[in-house]
Amino acid sequence: SDLMRTDLTKSSWRKKVDAFVGYVFLVTIFVAYFPVVLLISSLNKFVFLGVLDSFYETYGTTIGLVLFMALLPPVLLLIFRFFFTLKSGAWSQYELTTWYFGFLFVYVLCVTAIGTSVIESAAMLVETPYALATLLASTLPKSSHYYMQYLILQCLLHCLELTQFITLLKYCFWRIFYAQDKAVEVSRNRPERCNEIGQRTAKLSLNMCIALVFSTVAPLILIFALVDIVVTRVVYGYLVAFAEVSGPDLGGVFWVTQLRQLQLGLATYVLLEIGILAAGCESKFAWVSVLPAMFLILHVFYDLHKRYLWVVLPFDKTVSEITSDRQRYLQPQLL
């Protein structure tokens, strides 16, 4: 069973203490990741590989960042399982989607705008909060080629999952101690896996946000995003249906979470367009024409959970379904 019975028996004060410790760990990891990400982003200025120097200059930073961010989900899952009070193990995947997307959004998409000086960027935003749009407009368009490479690399990583290399490595390890059938069962054990729906939905949401943000300043990125979507559909359509052990279904929680994450990507896109219009147009008020879109996005983001009843059906709808006169199939043997 996926039910976490120990979490259900926790006292209220224990839940609060554990949650506080968990958030402290999350904030610590978030802060500690920043200098490492900046170091990876600037390594191409100091590393010289001779013949491979051009390849490293093109893909080295992207590969390094992707590999480093891939180390994060196992750590986050440990924090969620030990310190967060969850109804079941499936909810740890939901927490992973939320937090991992936040890490990816900041350290992959927004790190370009922040630059190498965090203090200067933070001080500027504190003094003039409206300068965020200008900051995005002055930095993100120059990095559009980097995000094209990022999407290309994501396609390769999707295809790499078809090999199930992690499961293979686990099988080779457990085969030393167990028989073949037992080794297969242990290697495919779901609770030990972190590369499931939580990590995948966060990465796919980020890829869509990247496509949305750069769709106007670099329309070519839409082609790479479309290829990524097609590869994703083919790869995970096969893995989920035929190669992996199915897990508990939370009933659309991940879908709704992805919608909210895409709203954040749209808000970033509107901020970028406001900054571009404010900096590049002769008219000082050209950016005002885009401002209503921001209010609409914020309204939809706030109203998404209230407008649509996706968690449970309303009572009158349930009753009407039960009492409707439509024909129902009845097994003859039960008549």
Side-chain angles (χ1 to χ4, degrees):
S1 175
D2 194 49
L3 184 65
M4 303 183 70
R5 302 183 185 276
T6 55
D7 285 4
L8 299 178
T9 59
K10 286 183 179 180
S11 60
S12 58
W13 68 269
R14 174 68 184 278
K15 294 178 182 178
K16 295 178 181 179
V17 172
D18 287 350
F20 176 77
V21 175
Y23 285 122
V24 169
F25 274 110
L26 289 173
V27 173
T28 303
I29 294 174
F30 188 86
V31 174
Y33 251 63
F34 196 85
V36 181
V37 171
L38 292 181
L39 177 62
I40 294 175
S41 302
S42 58
L43 273 180
N44 57 350
K45 301 178 182 178
F46 308 102
V47 177
F48 301 96
L49 300 177
V51 180
L52 299 177
D53 190 51
S54 59
F55 175 82
Y56 181 81
E57 185 177 354
T58 305
Y59 295 102
T61 302
T62 307
I63 295 175
L65 184 60
V66 169
L67 293 178
F68 185 66
M69 296 303 295
L71 301 175
L72 190 59
V75 179
L76 294 180
L77 277 180
L78 286 177
I79 294 175
F80 298 147
R81 290 185 179 274
F82 279 100
F83 299 106
F84 281 41
T85 303
L86 306 171
K87 300 176 183 178
S88 63
W91 284 101
S92 62
Q93 292 291 327
Y94 166 73
E95 295 290 344
L96 179 61
T97 295
T98 305
W99 283 91
Y100 190 49
F101 174 79
F103 274 83
L104 290 174
F105 191 84
V106 173
Y107 289 128
V108 176
L109 183 57
C110 297
V111 71
T112 306
I114 297 174
T116 57
S117 179
V118 184
I119 299 177
E120 291 181 3
S121 301
M124 183 184 67
L125 293 178
V126 170
E127 294 177 0
T128 54
Y130 56 85
L132 177 60
T134 306
L135 179 63
L136 293 176
S138 61
T139 54
L140 285 183
K142 300 176 183 178
S143 305
S144 58
H145 62 285
Y146 167 80
Y147 292 101
M148 293 181 189
Q149 298 167 5
Y150 182 85
L151 291 179
I152 294 173
L153 184 60
Q154 290 299 308
C155 294
L156 298 178
L157 293 178
H158 296 328
C159 296
L160 184 62
E161 289 203 32
L162 287 173
T163 62
Q164 294 283 284
F165 66 96
I166 296 179
T167 304
L168 176 61
L169 293 176
K170 291 167 61 177
Y171 169 78
C172 293
F173 174 78
W174 290 114
R175 187 67 178 86
I176 301 174
F177 306 98
Y178 299 116
Q180 181 177 356
D181 295 339
K182 182 64 175 179
V184 171
E185 180 183 354
V186 175
S187 62
R188 300 185 67 186
N189 188 18
R190 293 190 67 261
E192 298 179 2
R193 299 181 57 192
C194 61
N195 188 22
E196 290 187 352
I197 188 171
Q199 180 184 2
R200 291 171 180 174
T201 52
K203 291 166 63 177
L204 297 180
S205 295
L206 178 72
N207 294 346
M208 284 298 300
C209 288
I210 290 175
L212 289 173
V213 170
F214 292 95
S215 58
T216 301
V217 297
L220 186 61
I221 201 171
L222 295 176
I223 298 178
F224 297 104
L226 178 61
V227 173
D228 178 71
I229 292 173
V230 173
V231 172
T232 299
R233 176 63 183 88
V234 173
V235 170
Y236 295 120
Y238 168 77
L239 289 177
V240 174
F242 301 104
E244 296 180 347
V245 180
S246 60
D249 187 1
L250 296 181
V253 174
F254 293 98
W255 167 251
V256 176
T257 303
Q258 283 187 296
L259 292 179
R260 295 176 67 87
Q261 291 168 349
L262 289 182
Q263 293 293 331
L264 181 59
L266 282 175
T268 307
Y269 167 77
V270 173
L271 277 177
L272 177 62
E273 296 304 312
I274 290 175
I276 292 175
L277 292 176
C281 292
E282 296 180 358
S283 175
K284 296 182 179 180
F285 302 100
W287 59 272
V288 179
S289 61
V290 187
L291 194 59
M294 178 60 72
F295 292 111
L296 177 62
I297 292 173
L298 294 177
H299 171 71
V300 173
F301 183 84
Y302 175 77
D303 202 43
L304 183 61
H305 280 285
K306 295 183 178 180
R307 180 180 301 179
Y308 304 103
L309 300 175
W310 63 273
V311 179
V312 292
L313 286 175
F315 181 74
D316 55 349
K317 178 70 174 178
T318 306
V319 173
S320 63
E321 288 289 335
I322 297 175
T323 58
S324 62
D325 295 331
R326 64 181 183 180
Q327 294 183 353
R328 293 186 176 88
Y329 171 76
L330 295 177
Q331 189 174 351
Q333 289 80 359
L334 299 178
L335 294 177

